[in-house]
C-alpha cells in the first residue's frame, strides 16, 4: 500500500523545549495559526499524550484526519483513528493527503527518520520543560529563506521565527 509523504511540525524554545507537564509553555496566536494553516486538509498523527493535551473543544483537530498512536489496545479517542504503531499510522493515512507528525517528543524522535520536511518554529524563550524537539541532523537543509525566516513578535512580546527544512 502507498503511504503519504511525512512532514514534522513543532515549535521549540532556543534550548529545544517543546512541552512541560503535558502542555506547551507559551501562547503565541500567530504560531497556532501557522500550525492550523499548514496542517489544514491533511492527516495529523500524534502520540497519545499529545492527543490528551488538546483541549476537548479542538479534539479532534477540525478539518484534518486525526490519528492517535498508543500501545493501549483498549484506548478510545472520539473522532480519531487509534493505531498501535507508527507504521500502522502511515498505513491508515490517506495517501493523497499530506501526513503531519504533530508530536510529541516520543513521536518526533521515532518519525524524523521517515520525514522529508520539517516545519520548525523557534521561540526565543528560556522555559523549563520535560519534552524536547528531535535532533536535526546534517542531512537537513534549511530552505524558505526570505520573509518566512524573519523574526516575528507575539502580542505579549515573545520573539519567534518559522524555519523549513528539506532533505
Ligand atoms: P507523545 O509523543 O505525544 O505521546 C507518547 C505516547 O505515544 C506514549 O506514551 C505511547 O502511548 C504512544 N507511543 C509512543 N511511541 C509509540 C509506538 N512506537 N507505538 C505505539 N504507541 C506509541 O508524548 P510526549 O513525548 O510526552 O510529548 C508530549 C508533550 O509534547 C506535551 O507537553 C505536549 O504539550 C508537547 N507537544 C509540544 C508540541 C510543540 O510543537 N511545542 C507539539 C506536540 C506536543 P501509551 O502510553 O498510551 O501507550
Ligand atoms: C496544539 C492547541 C493546544 C492548546 C490550546 C489550543 C507547531 C503548534 C503545534 C501544536 C501549536 C498547539 C490548541 C491550536 C491549534 C488549533 C486548535 C487549538 C488548530 C505543533 N509549530 N505549533 N500546537 N489549538 N505541532 N507545531 O497549539 O493545539 O489547529 O485547529
Amino acid at each position: 500500500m502507498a503511504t503519504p509523504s511525512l512532514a514534522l511540525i513543532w515549535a521549540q524554545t532556543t534550548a529545544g523545549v517543546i512541552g512541560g507537564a503535558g502542555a506547551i509553555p507559551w501562547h503565541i496566536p500567530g504560531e497556532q495559526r501557522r500550525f492550523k494553516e499548514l496542517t489544514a486538509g491533511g492527516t495529523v498523527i500524534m502520540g497519545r499524550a499529545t492527543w490528551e493535551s488538546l483541549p476537548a473543544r479542538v479534539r479532534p483537530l477540525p478539518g484534518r484526519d486525526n490519528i492517535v498512536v498508543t500501545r493501549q489496545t483498549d484506548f478510545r479517542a472520539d473522532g480519531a483513528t487509534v493505531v498501535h504503531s507508527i507504521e500502522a499510522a502511515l498505513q491508515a493515512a490517506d495517501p493523497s493527503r499530506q501526513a503531519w507528525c504533530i508530536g510529541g517528543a516520543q513521536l518526533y524522535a521515532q518519525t524524523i527518520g521517515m520525514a522529508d520536511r520539517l516545519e520548525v518554529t523557534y521561540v526565543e524563550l528560556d522555559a523549563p520543560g520535560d519534552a524536547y524537539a528531535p535532533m536535526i541532523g546534517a542531512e537537513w537543509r534549511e530552505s524558505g529563506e526570505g520573509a518566512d525566516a524573519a523574526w516575528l513578535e507575539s502580542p505579549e512580546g515573545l520573539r519567534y521565527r518559522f524555519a523549513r527544512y528539506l532533505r
Side-chain angles (χ1 to χ4, degrees):
M1 254 299 273
T3 51
S5 88
L6 182 68
L8 272 51
I9 182 167
W10 74 81
Q12 66 164 79
T13 69
T14 313
V17 168
I18 65 161
I24 299 176
W26 57 80
H27 178 68
I28 305 178
E31 208 295 309
Q32 288 191 333
R33 206 176 310 126
R34 166 123 171 149
F35 168 76
K36 185 170 189 170
E37 285 169 3
L38 282 173
T39 59
T43 300
V44 290
I45 298 169
M46 72 197 93
R48 187 266 309 160
T50 292
W51 169 261
E52 290 185 333
S53 79
L54 293 172
R57 66 188 150 77
V58 294
R59 229 170 59 184
L61 288 172
R64 288 147 282 187
D65 288 342
N66 285 229
I67 298 179
V68 179
V69 185
T70 175
R71 295 189 179 89
Q72 302 173 55
T73 53
D74 57 350
F75 192 79
R76 294 288 175 274
D78 281 351
T81 300
V82 175
V83 297
H84 305 292
S85 69
I86 308 268
E87 290 68 27
L90 290 169
Q91 277 158 19
D94 180 342
S96 69
R97 295 179 185 223
Q98 175 71 54
W100 295 90
C101 176
I102 65 160
Q106 288 188 28
L107 267 281
Y108 293 137
Q110 295 176 76
T111 55
I112 191 167
M114 308 167 189
D116 59 13
R117 174 178 166 198
L118 312 175
E119 296 285 351
V120 183
T121 305
Y122 292 101
V123 181
E124 207 173 73
L125 177 70
D126 188 11
D130 55 29
Y132 285 85
M135 260 288 284
I136 300 175
E139 67 274 26
W140 293 98
R141 285 282 131 78
E142 188 173 349
S143 84
E145 304 294 332
D148 267 12
W151 285 96
L152 305 169
E153 199 170 307
S154 78
E156 292 166 338
L158 268 185
R159 279 158 49 80
Y160 64 105
R161 78 173 180 96
F162 301 126
R164 169 174 301 144
Y165 298 86
L166 303 172
R167 69 159 158 196

